[in-house]
Amino acid sequence: MDEALEVVDVVADAGLEGAVVWLFRLLGLLLVAAGLGVWLLTDAGVLLLPALLIVAGAVLLVVPQILLAVAELA
């Protein structure tokens, strides 16, 4: 956990937090689109994979901004 906080501190010191947040948002958007595509465009009876992709994408859309804000406060 200390290593992750150290990486966040380095990113914040370098002024790249905006770029990192947008990178994670794009990755999250891609995961949500992939989950919706698997769910709507295939005949998969199991909905676990699309649900996991959509949830992981939603988390990646929201969490990076919150984590960077908390790391700056700590």
Side-chain angles (χ1 to χ4, degrees):
M1 184 68 180
D2 292 334
E3 292 85 12
L5 290 175
E6 184 176 326
V7 169
V8 170
D9 286 337
V10 169
V11 168
D13 289 341
L16 298 173
E17 61 262 359
V20 171
V21 167
W22 278 106
L23 180 69
F24 279 121
R25 284 181 181 167
L26 288 174
L27 183 62
L29 190 60
L30 180 67
L31 285 176
V32 169
L36 287 172
V38 168
W39 179 45
L40 295 173
L41 301 175
T42 62
D43 291 333
V46 180
L47 294 177
L48 183 63
L49 179 64
L52 288 175
L53 286 172
I54 292 170
V55 169
V59 167
L60 282 176
L61 285 170
V62 175
V63 171
Q65 181 90 24
I66 296 170
L67 286 178
L68 286 173
V70 169
E72 287 180 10
L73 293 177

